[in-house]
Each structure stands twice: as structure tokens, then as C-alpha cells.
Amino acid sequence: MTPAFEYVTYGRMDELHQLQSPRTGARAELNFILLSQAEELLFRAVGDDLHTAREALGGDRVEDACAALARAARTQRALLACWEPMNGMTADEFVAFREVLKNASGEQSVTYRSLEFLLGNRPERHVGTVRREGTPLLAEELGRPSLYDTALVWLAGRGCLDPSATPRAPWARQHELRAEIEDAWLEIYRDPGTHPQEFRLAEGLLEVAYQFSLWRAAHLLVVERMLGGKGGTGGTDGASWLRVINEHRFFPELWTFRTRL
Ligand code: HEM
């Protein structure tokens, strides 16, 4: 009998290695599944840290929030790096098994969607789907203020943001760009020495948003490399659809105020 090594038992490694079921004999399919699973788990790790950041900020523990944001950004860099081995697959190798994906698409990832919701991207299209289909994890997330909402409430509590511009329930809606919020970040960046904690939080948030946009941009390039102008398995027109999503920025006023600095 094989001895039960604690590494295998603790990490449930045997079960983990049962979770890949290629549907063809194509060389690249196993690797495609492994990388998709690795990214899915990393989405969860990022979500865990962002959740911690939100809790910390809600409890006025801004240093803890900044530490959690920095950890999330580290994991996001690992997520970005996952596109490297994905590009080890050539377009013809992808074509060799793409058909067996049927309508599977990363767009259906609940972990990814909850990450977007947590950060504050809550477009009506996705909110409506959750209302209709009631995915519990996503419905729960939409019932809470996003990380950005929480950051803005914290800023208001510090006297940096007019209470009239502070986000309020219901939370299940898209954040609209507001001039008062842009003004608040502008003031902080005009004099970081007077607002060191607010400035550190802003930089932590921006790094997370930046890493997220880098991941989206690399995904788009991989899609162009694999599909050219073909539509996606999820039913969109592929790269063109993703190009529009690439325009989105998390924490928008943190980007727009820079024009006036
Ligand atoms: C050969 C590799 C890949 C191709 C060609 C590809 C293609 C696409 C396409 C065309 C879409 C748009 C929706 C659709 O019609 O399907 C999409 C969405 C998406 N993909 Fe991929 N993808 C690849 C790998 C991955 C991997 C490894 C992940 C991570 C698990 C991933 C995560 C996502 C996510 C999260 C979305 C939704 C984005 C959003 O809603 O903003 N993709 N993908």
C-alpha cells in the first residue's frame, strides 16, 4: 500500500489531480484545463484578500486594508503570468480541441464575476442575470457595498469627501463617475503629506485596478492570437467584445483626476 504522505492528505492532492478531464487526445488540452483551473483558484485568492481589505476598511483599519491590497496585487501579477504558458499553445493546437468546449466560457466564472462585483463593476447586464438566476454567492455580493463604496464611505468619515457624494444602498448598481469624488482624490494627491493614509489607500487601490486592466489586456491579446476575428464560445463576437470591456476602469475617479493634477 502507498504510504499516505501528509502533503498529499493535507492538500487533497490526489483529488486535485482527478479534476482534469480532457475530452480529446489533443496535446494542448490538458494544459489548457490546468491553466484555466490555476487562474480560477488565483481569482479566489485575490477575492479573499480584497474581501479582507473591505472588512478592514469598514472597521477603520486602513493599514490592514493596504496590506491586503498589496497581497492581492501580488497574486494578480501571478495571474498575469499565467498567459505566458497559455501562449505556448499555437492557434492550430487550440483549434484541435476547441469544439469540445461547446459553449463553455470564462464569462460564466462565478468567482471572476464576484471579484468584479466586489471591486465595484456592477453593470445592469450582470446584475439583471443575478436577479433572474439568483446565483447565491453573487446575490450575496450584490447586497454589500463594493470595495470602492467602502473606500468612499471611509474617505467621507475622514472628512475628505462630502457626505452628499457618499455611496449608499441599494448597492446592486453601477458606480457613476462623480465630480465630488474626483475632487476628493485631487485634494489628496495635491498634498499627500497632509493625507498620508488616504494617499496610501489610493495607491493600493490603483495598483489593484492597474493589475486588473493588465490581465484584461493580455487576455484580449491571447484571444486575438488564438481566434483572430472568430466569435467566442460564450456567444459574443470575441475580440471586439473584449475590446469594449478593456475600456472599463475600476475606481474611475482615481484615474480621471490626474488630468487636473
Ligand atoms: C485560448 C484561451 C482563451 C480564449 C481564446 C478565450 C476567449 C474568450 C472570449 C472570446 C471571451 C468573450 C466571451 C465569449 O464569447 O466566450 C472570453 C471571456 C472571458 N474569459 Fe477567456 N479565453 C481564453 C482563456 C481564458 C482563461 C484561461 C481564463 C481564466 C480562467 C479566461 C477567463 C475569461 C473571463 C473571466 C471572461 C469574461 C470577461 C468579462 O466578462 O469581462 N479566459 N474569453
Side-chain angles (χ1 to χ4, degrees), residues 95-157:
V95 167
F97 69 88
R98 186 175 185 231
E99 201 179 87
V100 301
L101 302 179
K102 299 182 185 160
N103 70 348
S105 165
E107 207 206 348
Q108 297 149 3
S109 166
V110 171
T111 319
Y112 178 84
R113 195 61 55 209
S114 87
L115 197 52
E116 287 233 1
F117 285 172
L118 196 161
L119 283 165
N121 189 23
R122 301 175 172 198
E124 181 47 40
R125 193 168 67 87
H126 289 303
V127 170
T129 308
V130 174
R131 278 206 193 99
R132 275 192 311 279
E133 295 172 13
T135 321
L137 189 86
L138 295 180
E140 201 183 317
E141 185 51 50
L142 287 177
R144 298 186 190 131
S146 72
L147 175 63
Y148 195 43
D149 292 329
T150 311
L152 296 174
V153 169
W154 181 79
L155 272 194

Short mmCIF file of all heavy atoms in Angstrom, two decimals, residues 95-157:
data_model
loop_
_atom_site.label_atom_id
_atom_site.label_comp_id
_atom_site.label_asym_id
_atom_site.label_seq_id
_atom_site.Cartn_x
_atom_site.Cartn_y
_atom_site.Cartn_z
N VAL A 95 -7.40 25.00 -32.04
CA VAL A 95 -8.48 24.56 -32.95
C VAL A 95 -8.72 23.05 -32.82
O VAL A 95 -9.85 22.57 -32.91
CB VAL A 95 -8.13 24.94 -34.41
CG1 VAL A 95 -9.04 24.24 -35.42
CG2 VAL A 95 -8.22 26.45 -34.59
N ALA A 96 -7.65 22.30 -32.53
CA ALA A 96 -7.75 20.84 -32.48
C ALA A 96 -8.71 20.35 -31.39
O ALA A 96 -9.21 19.23 -31.47
CB ALA A 96 -6.36 20.23 -32.28
N PHE A 97 -8.97 21.18 -30.36
CA PHE A 97 -9.91 20.70 -29.33
C PHE A 97 -11.01 21.73 -28.99
O PHE A 97 -11.90 21.46 -28.20
CB PHE A 97 -9.16 20.29 -28.04
CG PHE A 97 -8.54 21.42 -27.28
CD1 PHE A 97 -9.27 22.13 -26.32
CD2 PHE A 97 -7.22 21.80 -27.52
CE1 PHE A 97 -8.70 23.18 -25.61
CE2 PHE A 97 -6.64 22.86 -26.83
CZ PHE A 97 -7.38 23.56 -25.86
N ARG A 98 -10.96 22.91 -29.60
CA ARG A 98 -11.89 23.99 -29.21
C ARG A 98 -13.36 23.56 -29.25
O ARG A 98 -14.16 23.94 -28.39
CB ARG A 98 -11.67 25.20 -30.12
CG ARG A 98 -12.50 26.40 -29.67
CD ARG A 98 -12.23 27.64 -30.47
NE ARG A 98 -12.97 28.75 -29.90
CZ ARG A 98 -13.75 29.57 -30.56
NH1 ARG A 98 -13.87 29.44 -31.87
NH2 ARG A 98 -14.40 30.53 -29.94
N GLU A 99 -13.68 22.72 -30.24
CA GLU A 99 -15.07 22.30 -30.43
C GLU A 99 -15.66 21.64 -29.17
O GLU A 99 -16.83 21.83 -28.85
CB GLU A 99 -15.08 21.29 -31.57
CG GLU A 99 -16.41 21.11 -32.24
CD GLU A 99 -16.27 20.10 -33.37
OE1 GLU A 99 -16.40 18.88 -33.09
OE2 GLU A 99 -15.99 20.54 -34.50
N VAL A 100 -14.83 20.90 -28.42
CA VAL A 100 -15.37 20.17 -27.26
C VAL A 100 -15.69 21.11 -26.08
O VAL A 100 -16.31 20.69 -25.10
CB VAL A 100 -14.42 19.03 -26.78
CG1 VAL A 100 -14.18 18.03 -27.89
CG2 VAL A 100 -13.11 19.57 -26.22
N LEU A 101 -15.28 22.37 -26.18
CA LEU A 101 -15.65 23.32 -25.11
C LEU A 101 -17.14 23.64 -25.17
O LEU A 101 -17.72 24.15 -24.21
CB LEU A 101 -14.87 24.64 -25.27
CG LEU A 101 -13.34 24.58 -25.24
CD1 LEU A 101 -12.77 25.98 -25.42
CD2 LEU A 101 -12.85 23.98 -23.95
N LYS A 102 -17.76 23.34 -26.31
CA LYS A 102 -19.18 23.69 -26.54
C LYS A 102 -19.37 25.18 -26.23
O LYS A 102 -18.66 25.97 -26.80
CB LYS A 102 -20.11 22.80 -25.72
CG LYS A 102 -19.94 21.33 -26.10
CD LYS A 102 -20.90 20.46 -25.34
CE LYS A 102 -20.61 19.01 -25.65
NZ LYS A 102 -21.14 18.11 -24.66
N ASN A 103 -20.29 25.52 -25.29
CA ASN A 103 -20.48 26.96 -25.03
C ASN A 103 -19.78 27.41 -23.74
O ASN A 103 -20.11 28.45 -23.17
CB ASN A 103 -21.97 27.33 -24.99
CG ASN A 103 -22.66 26.76 -23.77
OD1 ASN A 103 -22.08 25.92 -23.08
ND2 ASN A 103 -23.88 27.19 -23.50
N ALA A 104 -18.80 26.61 -23.27
CA ALA A 104 -18.07 27.00 -22.05
C ALA A 104 -17.29 28.28 -22.31
O ALA A 104 -16.65 28.43 -23.36
CB ALA A 104 -17.10 25.87 -21.66
N SER A 105 -17.32 29.21 -21.36
CA SER A 105 -16.57 30.47 -21.49
C SER A 105 -16.23 30.98 -20.11
O SER A 105 -17.03 30.84 -19.17
CB SER A 105 -17.44 31.50 -22.22
OG SER A 105 -16.89 32.80 -22.05
N GLY A 106 -15.06 31.62 -20.00
CA GLY A 106 -14.65 32.24 -18.73
C GLY A 106 -15.69 33.23 -18.24
O GLY A 106 -15.76 33.54 -17.05
N GLU A 107 -16.50 33.73 -19.15
CA GLU A 107 -17.54 34.69 -18.78
C GLU A 107 -18.51 34.08 -17.75
O GLU A 107 -19.16 34.81 -17.01
CB GLU A 107 -18.31 35.12 -20.03
CG GLU A 107 -18.90 36.50 -19.89
CD GLU A 107 -20.12 36.72 -20.75
OE1 GLU A 107 -20.40 35.90 -21.64
OE2 GLU A 107 -20.79 37.74 -20.52
N GLN A 108 -18.57 32.74 -17.73
CA GLN A 108 -19.50 32.08 -16.80
C GLN A 108 -18.87 31.83 -15.43
O GLN A 108 -19.51 31.23 -14.55
CB GLN A 108 -19.94 30.72 -17.41
CG GLN A 108 -20.70 30.88 -18.72
CD GLN A 108 -20.50 29.71 -19.69
OE1 GLN A 108 -19.83 28.72 -19.37
NE2 GLN A 108 -21.05 29.83 -20.88
N SER A 109 -17.63 32.27 -15.22
CA SER A 109 -16.97 32.03 -13.93
C SER A 109 -17.62 32.87 -12.82
O SER A 109 -17.57 34.10 -12.84
CB SER A 109 -15.47 32.39 -14.03
OG SER A 109 -14.92 32.47 -12.73
N VAL A 110 -18.18 32.18 -11.85
CA VAL A 110 -18.83 32.87 -10.71
C VAL A 110 -17.76 33.57 -9.87
O VAL A 110 -17.95 34.68 -9.37
CB VAL A 110 -19.64 31.85 -9.87
CG1 VAL A 110 -20.14 32.48 -8.58
CG2 VAL A 110 -20.79 31.29 -10.69
N THR A 111 -16.61 32.94 -9.73
CA THR A 111 -15.52 33.52 -8.93
C THR A 111 -15.04 34.83 -9.55
O THR A 111 -14.82 35.83 -8.85
CB THR A 111 -14.33 32.53 -8.83
OG1 THR A 111 -14.85 31.24 -8.65
CG2 THR A 111 -13.39 32.88 -7.71
N TYR A 112 -14.90 34.81 -10.88
CA TYR A 112 -14.47 36.03 -11.57
C TYR A 112 -15.52 37.13 -11.42
O TYR A 112 -15.21 38.28 -11.13
CB TYR A 112 -14.21 35.75 -13.05
CG TYR A 112 -13.81 36.98 -13.82
CD1 TYR A 112 -12.48 37.41 -13.83
CD2 TYR A 112 -14.75 37.75 -14.51
CE1 TYR A 112 -12.10 38.57 -14.51
CE2 TYR A 112 -14.38 38.91 -15.18
CZ TYR A 112 -13.06 39.30 -15.18
OH TYR A 112 -12.69 40.45 -15.84
N ARG A 113 -16.79 36.76 -11.62
CA ARG A 113 -17.85 37.76 -11.56
C ARG A 113 -17.95 38.36 -10.17
O ARG A 113 -18.14 39.55 -9.99
CB ARG A 113 -19.19 37.13 -11.99
CG ARG A 113 -20.30 38.09 -12.31
CD ARG A 113 -19.97 39.03 -13.47
NE ARG A 113 -19.57 38.28 -14.67
CZ ARG A 113 -18.74 38.75 -15.58
NH1 ARG A 113 -18.21 39.95 -15.48
NH2 ARG A 113 -18.42 38.02 -16.63
N SER A 114 -17.77 37.49 -9.14
CA SER A 114 -17.89 38.03 -7.78
C SER A 114 -16.72 38.98 -7.49
O SER A 114 -16.87 39.96 -6.76
CB SER A 114 -18.01 36.91 -6.75
OG SER A 114 -16.79 36.46 -6.34
N LEU A 115 -15.58 38.71 -8.12
CA LEU A 115 -14.43 39.61 -7.98
C LEU A 115 -14.75 40.98 -8.60
O LEU A 115 -14.48 42.03 -8.01
CB LEU A 115 -13.25 38.95 -8.72
CG LEU A 115 -11.85 39.40 -8.46
CD1 LEU A 115 -11.54 39.38 -6.99
CD2 LEU A 115 -10.87 38.49 -9.22
N GLU A 116 -15.34 40.96 -9.78
CA GLU A 116 -15.72 42.23 -10.43
C GLU A 116 -16.75 42.97 -9.58
O GLU A 116 -16.65 44.19 -9.40
CB GLU A 116 -16.30 41.96 -11.83
CG GLU A 116 -15.26 41.56 -12.85
CD GLU A 116 -15.32 42.42 -14.11
OE1 GLU A 116 -16.15 43.34 -14.18
OE2 GLU A 116 -14.51 42.18 -15.02
N PHE A 117 -17.72 42.23 -9.05
CA PHE A 117 -18.74 42.86 -8.20
C PHE A 117 -18.10 43.44 -6.94
O PHE A 117 -18.43 44.54 -6.50
CB PHE A 117 -19.81 41.84 -7.79
CG PHE A 117 -20.80 41.48 -8.89
CD1 PHE A 117 -21.71 40.44 -8.69
CD2 PHE A 117 -20.83 42.15 -10.09
CE1 PHE A 117 -22.63 40.09 -9.67
CE2 PHE A 117 -21.75 41.81 -11.09
CZ PHE A 117 -22.65 40.77 -10.87
N LEU A 118 -17.21 42.66 -6.35
CA LEU A 118 -16.55 43.10 -5.11
C LEU A 118 -15.80 44.43 -5.34
O LEU A 118 -15.87 45.36 -4.55
CB LEU A 118 -15.60 42.00 -4.64
CG LEU A 118 -15.07 42.02 -3.21
CD1 LEU A 118 -14.54 40.63 -2.86
CD2 LEU A 118 -13.99 43.02 -2.97
N LEU A 119 -15.12 44.50 -6.49
CA LEU A 119 -14.35 45.71 -6.78
C LEU A 119 -15.26 46.89 -7.11
O LEU A 119 -14.89 48.04 -6.89
CB LEU A 119 -13.40 45.44 -7.94
CG LEU A 119 -12.16 44.64 -7.58
CD1 LEU A 119 -11.47 44.12 -8.83
CD2 LEU A 119 -11.19 45.51 -6.79
N GLY A 120 -16.43 46.60 -7.69
CA GLY A 120 -17.36 47.70 -7.98
C GLY A 120 -17.86 47.77 -9.41
O GLY A 120 -18.56 48.71 -9.76
N ASN A 121 -17.53 46.78 -10.26
CA ASN A 121 -18.11 46.77 -11.61
C ASN A 121 -19.40 45.95 -11.56
O ASN A 121 -19.36 44.73 -11.53
CB ASN A 121 -17.12 46.17 -12.62
CG ASN A 121 -17.60 46.36 -14.06
OD1 ASN A 121 -18.41 47.26 -14.33
ND2 ASN A 121 -17.14 45.52 -14.96
N ARG A 122 -20.52 46.67 -11.53
CA ARG A 122 -21.83 46.01 -11.34
C ARG A 122 -22.80 46.47 -12.43
O ARG A 122 -23.83 47.08 -12.14
CB ARG A 122 -22.38 46.34 -9.94
CG ARG A 122 -21.44 45.88 -8.83
CD ARG A 122 -21.87 46.29 -7.42
NE ARG A 122 -21.01 45.63 -6.44
CZ ARG A 122 -21.29 45.49 -5.15
NH1 ARG A 122 -22.42 45.98 -4.68
NH2 ARG A 122 -20.47 44.86 -4.34
N PRO A 123 -22.46 46.19 -13.70
CA PRO A 123 -23.34 46.67 -14.77
C PRO A 123 -24.69 45.97 -14.75
O PRO A 123 -24.78 44.81 -14.34
CB PRO A 123 -22.58 46.33 -16.06
CG PRO A 123 -21.63 45.25 -15.68
CD PRO A 123 -21.33 45.42 -14.22
N GLU A 124 -25.71 46.68 -15.22
CA GLU A 124 -27.09 46.18 -15.19
C GLU A 124 -27.20 44.81 -15.86
O GLU A 124 -27.93 43.93 -15.40
CB GLU A 124 -28.02 47.21 -15.84
CG GLU A 124 -29.49 46.85 -15.85
CD GLU A 124 -30.04 46.33 -14.51
OE1 GLU A 124 -29.66 46.89 -13.46
OE2 GLU A 124 -30.84 45.36 -14.51
N ARG A 125 -26.43 44.61 -16.93
CA ARG A 125 -26.47 43.33 -17.66
C ARG A 125 -26.21 42.15 -16.71
O ARG A 125 -26.90 41.14 -16.74
CB ARG A 125 -25.38 43.36 -18.75
CG ARG A 125 -25.47 42.28 -19.77
CD ARG A 125 -24.54 42.62 -20.93
NE ARG A 125 -23.13 42.57 -20.54
CZ ARG A 125 -22.39 41.48 -20.57
NH1 ARG A 125 -22.91 40.34 -20.95
NH2 ARG A 125 -21.11 41.51 -20.21
N HIS A 126 -25.19 42.28 -15.86
CA HIS A 126 -24.85 41.17 -14.95
C HIS A 126 -25.74 41.17 -13.71
O HIS A 126 -26.10 40.12 -13.21
CB HIS A 126 -23.38 41.25 -14.55
CG HIS A 126 -22.46 40.91 -15.69
ND1 HIS A 126 -22.53 39.71 -16.36
CD2 HIS A 126 -21.46 41.61 -16.27
CE1 HIS A 126 -21.62 39.70 -17.32
NE2 HIS A 126 -20.96 40.83 -17.29
N VAL A 127 -26.08 42.37 -13.22
CA VAL A 127 -26.97 42.45 -12.05
C VAL A 127 -28.31 41.80 -12.40
O VAL A 127 -28.87 41.01 -11.63
CB VAL A 127 -27.16 43.93 -11.62
CG1 VAL A 127 -28.25 44.06 -10.56
CG2 VAL A 127 -25.84 44.51 -11.09
N GLY A 128 -28.81 42.09 -13.62
CA GLY A 128 -30.08 41.52 -14.08
C GLY A 128 -30.01 39.99 -14.13
O GLY A 128 -30.96 39.32 -13.73
N THR A 129 -28.89 39.45 -14.61
CA THR A 129 -28.74 37.98 -14.70
C THR A 129 -28.80 37.38 -13.30
O THR A 129 -29.45 36.36 -13.09
CB THR A 129 -27.37 37.61 -15.35
OG1 THR A 129 -27.27 38.33 -16.57
CG2 THR A 129 -27.25 36.13 -15.61
N VAL A 130 -28.14 38.03 -12.34
CA VAL A 130 -28.16 37.50 -10.96
C VAL A 130 -29.58 37.54 -10.41
O VAL A 130 -30.05 36.59 -9.78
CB VAL A 130 -27.18 38.28 -10.05
CG1 VAL A 130 -27.30 37.84 -8.60
CG2 VAL A 130 -25.75 38.11 -10.54
N ARG A 131 -30.31 38.64 -10.71
CA ARG A 131 -31.70 38.75 -10.23
C ARG A 131 -32.54 37.62 -10.80
O ARG A 131 -33.35 37.02 -10.10
CB ARG A 131 -32.30 40.09 -10.66
CG ARG A 131 -31.90 41.19 -9.72
CD ARG A 131 -32.92 42.34 -9.72
NE ARG A 131 -32.32 43.47 -9.05
CZ ARG A 131 -31.75 44.50 -9.67
NH1 ARG A 131 -31.75 44.55 -10.98
NH2 ARG A 131 -31.20 45.48 -8.99
N ARG A 132 -32.33 37.34 -12.10
CA ARG A 132 -33.15 36.29 -12.75
C ARG A 132 -32.76 34.91 -12.28
O ARG A 132 -33.59 34.07 -11.98
CB ARG A 132 -32.97 36.36 -14.28
CG ARG A 132 -33.87 37.36 -14.96
CD ARG A 132 -33.85 37.17 -16.47
NE ARG A 132 -32.50 37.09 -17.02
CZ ARG A 132 -31.72 38.15 -17.28
NH1 ARG A 132 -32.15 39.35 -17.03
NH2 ARG A 132 -30.50 37.99 -17.78
N GLU A 133 -31.43 34.66 -12.20
CA GLU A 133 -30.97 33.30 -11.93
C GLU A 133 -30.61 33.05 -10.48
O GLU A 133 -30.49 31.90 -10.05
CB GLU A 133 -29.79 32.96 -12.86
CG GLU A 133 -30.27 32.94 -14.31
CD GLU A 133 -29.14 32.82 -15.31
OE1 GLU A 133 -28.02 32.50 -14.90
OE2 GLU A 133 -29.41 33.05 -16.50
N GLY A 134 -30.40 34.12 -9.73
CA GLY A 134 -30.24 34.03 -8.28
C GLY A 134 -29.03 33.23 -7.79
O GLY A 134 -29.14 32.58 -6.77
N THR A 135 -27.88 33.29 -8.50
CA THR A 135 -26.68 32.62 -8.00
C THR A 135 -26.37 33.13 -6.58
O THR A 135 -26.06 34.33 -6.43
CB THR A 135 -25.48 32.94 -8.93
OG1 THR A 135 -25.94 32.95 -10.25
CG2 THR A 135 -24.33 31.97 -8.76
N PRO A 136 -26.47 32.28 -5.54
CA PRO A 136 -26.41 32.80 -4.15
C PRO A 136 -25.16 33.62 -3.85
O PRO A 136 -25.26 34.71 -3.27
CB PRO A 136 -26.45 31.53 -3.29
CG PRO A 136 -26.99 30.46 -4.19
CD PRO A 136 -26.66 30.85 -5.60
N LEU A 137 -23.99 33.14 -4.27
CA LEU A 137 -22.75 33.85 -3.96
C LEU A 137 -22.76 35.27 -4.55
O LEU A 137 -22.35 36.24 -3.91
CB LEU A 137 -21.56 33.06 -4.52
CG LEU A 137 -20.19 33.55 -4.11
CD1 LEU A 137 -19.79 32.93 -2.78
CD2 LEU A 137 -19.15 33.18 -5.18
N LEU A 138 -23.27 35.37 -5.78
CA LEU A 138 -23.27 36.67 -6.46
C LEU A 138 -24.36 37.58 -5.88
O LEU A 138 -24.14 38.78 -5.70
CB LEU A 138 -23.48 36.49 -7.96
CG LEU A 138 -22.34 35.76 -8.68
CD1 LEU A 138 -22.65 35.62 -10.17
CD2 LEU A 138 -21.02 36.50 -8.50
N ALA A 139 -25.51 36.98 -5.56
CA ALA A 139 -26.60 37.78 -4.97
C ALA A 139 -26.13 38.36 -3.64
O ALA A 139 -26.38 39.53 -3.31
CB ALA A 139 -27.83 36.90 -4.78
N GLU A 140 -25.41 37.55 -2.87
CA GLU A 140 -24.90 38.00 -1.57
C GLU A 140 -23.92 39.16 -1.76
O GLU A 140 -23.98 40.17 -1.05
CB GLU A 140 -24.19 36.81 -0.92
CG GLU A 140 -24.05 36.91 0.57
CD GLU A 140 -23.26 35.71 1.09
OE1 GLU A 140 -23.51 34.58 0.64
OE2 GLU A 140 -22.37 35.95 1.93
N GLU A 141 -23.05 39.02 -2.76
CA GLU A 141 -22.06 40.07 -3.02
C GLU A 141 -22.75 41.38 -3.41
O GLU A 141 -22.35 42.47 -2.97
CB GLU A 141 -21.09 39.60 -4.12
CG GLU A 141 -19.94 40.54 -4.41
CD GLU A 141 -19.16 40.96 -3.17
OE1 GLU A 141 -18.77 40.08 -2.38
OE2 GLU A 141 -18.96 42.18 -2.98
N LEU A 142 -23.80 41.28 -4.20
CA LEU A 142 -24.51 42.49 -4.65
C LEU A 142 -25.27 43.17 -3.52
O LEU A 142 -25.65 44.33 -3.63
CB LEU A 142 -25.48 42.14 -5.79
CG LEU A 142 -24.83 41.84 -7.14
CD1 LEU A 142 -25.89 41.44 -8.16
CD2 LEU A 142 -24.02 43.03 -7.66
N GLY A 143 -25.48 42.45 -2.43
CA GLY A 143 -26.14 43.04 -1.27
C GLY A 143 -25.20 43.85 -0.39
O GLY A 143 -25.63 44.50 0.56
N ARG A 144 -23.90 43.79 -0.73
CA ARG A 144 -22.92 44.52 0.09
C ARG A 144 -22.35 45.71 -0.67
O ARG A 144 -22.30 45.68 -1.90
CB ARG A 144 -21.72 43.61 0.37
CG ARG A 144 -22.04 42.38 1.14
CD ARG A 144 -20.71 41.69 1.46
NE ARG A 144 -20.94 40.38 2.01
CZ ARG A 144 -20.34 39.26 1.61
NH1 ARG A 144 -19.46 39.30 0.65
NH2 ARG A 144 -20.62 38.11 2.17
N PRO A 145 -21.85 46.71 0.07
CA PRO A 145 -21.13 47.78 -0.63
C PRO A 145 -19.86 47.21 -1.26
O PRO A 145 -19.25 46.30 -0.70
CB PRO A 145 -20.78 48.76 0.49
CG PRO A 145 -20.99 48.04 1.77
CD PRO A 145 -21.91 46.90 1.51
N SER A 146 -19.49 47.71 -2.42
CA SER A 146 -18.26 47.24 -3.07
C SER A 146 -17.05 47.76 -2.29
O SER A 146 -17.19 48.62 -1.39
CB SER A 146 -18.20 47.76 -4.50
OG SER A 146 -17.94 49.14 -4.48
N LEU A 147 -15.89 47.29 -2.65
CA LEU A 147 -14.65 47.79 -2.03
C LEU A 147 -14.54 49.30 -2.24
O LEU A 147 -14.17 50.05 -1.33
CB LEU A 147 -13.45 47.06 -2.64
CG LEU A 147 -12.07 47.54 -2.20
CD1 LEU A 147 -11.85 47.33 -0.71
CD2 LEU A 147 -10.97 46.81 -2.99
N TYR A 148 -14.89 49.75 -3.46
CA TYR A 148 -14.79 51.20 -3.73
C TYR A 148 -15.81 51.99 -2.91
O TYR A 148 -15.48 53.03 -2.35
CB TYR A 148 -14.97 51.45 -5.24
CG TYR A 148 -14.54 52.84 -5.68
CD1 TYR A 148 -13.36 53.42 -5.20
CD2 TYR A 148 -15.29 53.58 -6.59
CE1 TYR A 148 -12.96 54.69 -5.62
CE2 TYR A 148 -14.90 54.84 -7.02
CZ TYR A 148 -13.73 55.39 -6.53
OH TYR A 148 -13.33 56.65 -6.95
N ASP A 149 -17.05 51.47 -2.82
CA ASP A 149 -18.06 52.13 -1.98
C ASP A 149 -17.50 52.28 -0.56
O ASP A 149 -17.61 53.34 0.06
CB ASP A 149 -19.35 51.30 -1.89
CG ASP A 149 -20.10 51.21 -3.21
OD1 ASP A 149 -20.03 52.16 -3.99
OD2 ASP A 149 -20.77 50.18 -3.44
N THR A 150 -16.92 51.19 -0.06
CA THR A 150 -16.41 51.19 1.32
C THR A 150 -15.28 52.20 1.46
O THR A 150 -15.19 52.92 2.48
CB THR A 150 -15.92 49.77 1.70
OG1 THR A 150 -16.95 48.83 1.35
CG2 THR A 150 -15.60 49.64 3.18
N ALA A 151 -14.43 52.30 0.44
CA ALA A 151 -13.32 53.27 0.49
C ALA A 151 -13.88 54.69 0.53
O ALA A 151 -13.37 55.55 1.26
CB ALA A 151 -12.41 53.08 -0.72
N LEU A 152 -14.94 54.93 -0.24
CA LEU A 152 -15.50 56.29 -0.30
C LEU A 152 -16.21 56.65 1.02
O LEU A 152 -16.10 57.79 1.48
CB LEU A 152 -16.46 56.40 -1.49
CG LEU A 152 -15.78 56.24 -2.87
CD1 LEU A 152 -16.81 56.23 -3.98
CD2 LEU A 152 -14.73 57.33 -3.12
N VAL A 153 -16.87 55.66 1.61
CA VAL A 153 -17.50 55.90 2.91
C VAL A 153 -16.41 56.23 3.94
O VAL A 153 -16.55 57.15 4.76
CB VAL A 153 -18.34 54.67 3.35
CG1 VAL A 153 -18.78 54.78 4.80
CG2 VAL A 153 -19.55 54.48 2.43
N TRP A 154 -15.31 55.51 3.87
CA TRP A 154 -14.18 55.76 4.78
C TRP A 154 -13.63 57.18 4.57
O TRP A 154 -13.39 57.92 5.53
CB TRP A 154 -13.09 54.70 4.57
CG TRP A 154 -11.92 54.86 5.48
CD1 TRP A 154 -11.83 54.49 6.79
CD2 TRP A 154 -10.66 55.47 5.15
NE1 TRP A 154 -10.60 54.82 7.30
CE2 TRP A 154 -9.85 55.42 6.32
CE3 TRP A 154 -10.13 56.05 3.99
CZ2 TRP A 154 -8.55 55.92 6.35
CZ3 TRP A 154 -8.83 56.56 4.02
CH2 TRP A 154 -8.06 56.49 5.20
N LEU A 155 -13.47 57.55 3.29
CA LEU A 155 -12.98 58.92 2.99
C LEU A 155 -13.91 59.97 3.57
O LEU A 155 -13.46 60.98 4.13
CB LEU A 155 -12.95 59.14 1.47
CG LEU A 155 -11.72 58.76 0.66
CD1 LEU A 155 -11.81 59.38 -0.72
CD2 LEU A 155 -10.42 59.18 1.34
N ALA A 156 -15.23 59.74 3.44
CA ALA A 156 -16.20 60.70 3.98
C ALA A 156 -16.06 60.79 5.49
O ALA A 156 -16.10 61.89 6.06
CB ALA A 156 -17.62 60.28 3.58
N GLY A 157 -15.84 59.64 6.13
CA GLY A 157 -15.67 59.61 7.59
C GLY A 157 -14.43 60.38 8.03
O GLY A 157 -14.37 60.89 9.16
#
